[in-house]
Amino acid sequence: MTYVRVCGLDELEEDTPKRVELDGTPVSVVRTEGEVFAVNDICSHANVSLSEGEVDDCHIECWLHGSRFDLRSGKPDSLPATRPVPVYPVKIEGDDVLVSLTQES
């Protein structure tokens, strides 16, 4: 599995998504509840950026229609979204946040 540095840990504000691009794939990186998560940044219901939404209780909410996605699994827990978003592996090395585009789910 190949990991790529996306940012420094200190660049991530708690509960504030950060949009990055890896090989043309938009990814939302989120620091919340003591962990860092990475999910595909495009809502599975509408073609909008999830990183523009809010984070609460380990979920990211689409700002357009209100669908919420679990950052651990990518699964939606509210309509109108019915399909999950891809979740990507994250590891921390020192102060570096590394993400792999190999999907966990």
Side-chain angles (χ1 to χ4, degrees), residues 14-29:
E14 186 77 12
D15 297 330
T16 302
K18 178 179 182 70
R19 181 185 169 110
V20 299
E21 275 209 24
L22 296 176
D23 293 331
T25 301
V27 176
S28 183
V29 182

Side-chain angles (χ1 to χ4, degrees), residues 14-16 20 27 40 46 69 81 86 94 99 101-102 105:
E14 186 77 12
D15 297 330
T16 302
V20 299
V27 176
N40 191 284
F69 299 89
V99 175
L101 284 182
T102 302
S105 63

Side-chain angles (χ1 to χ4, degrees), residues 3-56:
Y3 283 85
V4 177
R5 183 188 186 279
V6 295
C7 64
L9 193 56
D10 59 349
E11 295 174 53
L12 295 176
E13 293 181 41
E14 186 77 12
D15 297 330
T16 302
K18 178 179 182 70
R19 181 185 169 110
V20 299
E21 275 209 24
L22 296 176
D23 293 331
T25 301
V27 176
S28 183
V29 182
V30 180
R31 183 178 190 173
T32 187
E33 299 183 9
E35 295 185 64
V36 177
F37 301 94
V39 298
N40 191 284
D41 191 47
I42 304 301
C43 178
S44 63
H45 169 257
N47 190 25
V48 297
S49 175
L50 291 175
S51 63
E52 294 177 28
E54 295 183 10
V55 173
D56 181 49

Side-chain angles (χ1 to χ4, degrees), residues 84-104:
V85 293
V87 173
Y88 306 110
V90 175
K91 67 180 180 178
I92 309 299
E93 289 184 352
D95 186 44
D96 293 329
V97 178
L98 307 164
V99 175
S100 174
L101 284 182
T102 302
Q103 293 182 25
E104 287 186 341

Side-chain angles (χ1 to χ4, degrees), residues 46-74:
N47 190 25
V48 297
S49 175
L50 291 175
S51 63
E52 294 177 28
E54 295 183 10
V55 173
D56 181 49
D57 193 28
C58 215
H59 287 78
I60 190 165
E61 182 176 323
C62 178
W63 63 270
L64 186 59
H65 296 116
S67 291
R68 287 172 31 105
F69 299 89
D70 189 312
L71 290 167
R72 298 163 291 224
S73 68

